[in-house]
Amino acid sequence: MSSQAYATPVVDSTAVFKDNLFAGKVLFCTGGGSGICKEMTRAMMRHGANAAILGRKLDRLTASAEELSKDTGKVCLPLQADVRQPKALQDAAAKTIEKFGRIDFVICGAAGNFLAPISGLSENAFRTVLEIDSLGTYNTIKATLPHVRATKGAYIHVSATLHYRGTPYQVHVSAAKAAVDATSAVLAVEEGPHGVRSNVIAPGPIGGTEGMDRLAAQGDAGRRQAALIPAGRMGDKRDIANAAVFLFSDAAAFVTGQVVVVDGGNEHLRTTQLPYPEAVLDPQSARGLFAARL
Ligand code: COA
């Protein structure tokens, strides 16, 4: 039987959740200019929220904000900011308040990734990814927490499943995402009594993302890999967006401090994305099997 015979459907959140679920609410999303975070923002806006999206590249952000506004009829504010700069995030939060008057939901999604073994990864490269993912998450929390407390809102942090085992070429991201998971748990415990929730979404292999373009096996090897996912297919960005809509909704009022893995069951099989040990012993010959860039 082909995997497509039993693949789970990909649905749009609007087919399941109320249109005006987030009417009057405001989302603040780092990394919202592209990929998974842009799709999460689109879903929140389709359900009535206005949004501010943050990133380093103003051109891309502006184009994405225009697209999202046009697509949803809601307002999307592009704000250039590097999450490694606390002041830039504080300014972005202030501009969001100036524009919309409130922040209900925050997605800490800005991240950096590339493939590199420990033997070839500089100390600065390791620090760079920790600064973007881990410190960037902390900086985002610090800049937004008073506003999120005021609305009794919620956080979602975008993590990964890479650090549940030793994933080759991903030491920097694994260390960074472990810190993100831990940060969210403490945030949930400290801020719960103030009415704030905090959860992590850990996406598995999601098609059409920069991360998977780099990490996933290509060609036949890629198709074999996708066929091994229990849900019968690669993830779609909308799968993550749907999880975000649920976690931000009142239906998740009793869900906090959790890591929600959205991976079609992939984690339970614990397959490696890269061919192992070939990718470690002989990266050059294994190169054609996976991402173009190593
Ligand atoms: N392999 C090994 N080291 C790399 C690398 C790679 N592919 N890419 C960057 N580095 C190293 C750099 O060499 C540098 O270390 P060095 O000073 O010892 O040489 C360090 O990482 C910082 O790189 P730099 O490009 O100066 O940092 P930056 O802040 O401008 O950008 C990233 C950092 C991670 C955002 C950048 O590498 C990038 O654009 N990555 C791809 C895009 C991306 O990550 N998208 C998100 C997908 S989840």
Side-chain angles (χ1 to χ4, degrees), residues 34 36 56-57 60 82 84 109-117 120-129 131-133 170 172-173 177 209-212 214 293-294:
S34 65
I36 285 174
R56 284 198 296 171
K57 298 176 189 155
R60 186 165 76 173
D82 186 327
R84 290 170 283 191
N113 195 1
F114 45 79
L115 293 176
L121 182 77
S122 75
E123 292 84 344
N124 188 42
F126 183 85
R127 182 171 58 233
T128 297
V129 172
E131 280 178 350
I132 297 171
D133 293 23
Q170 291 283 273
H172 41 329
V173 181
K177 295 304 193 185
T209 56
E210 272 188 52
M212 279 318 281
R214 286 189 177 75
R293 274 185 278 177
L294 178 59

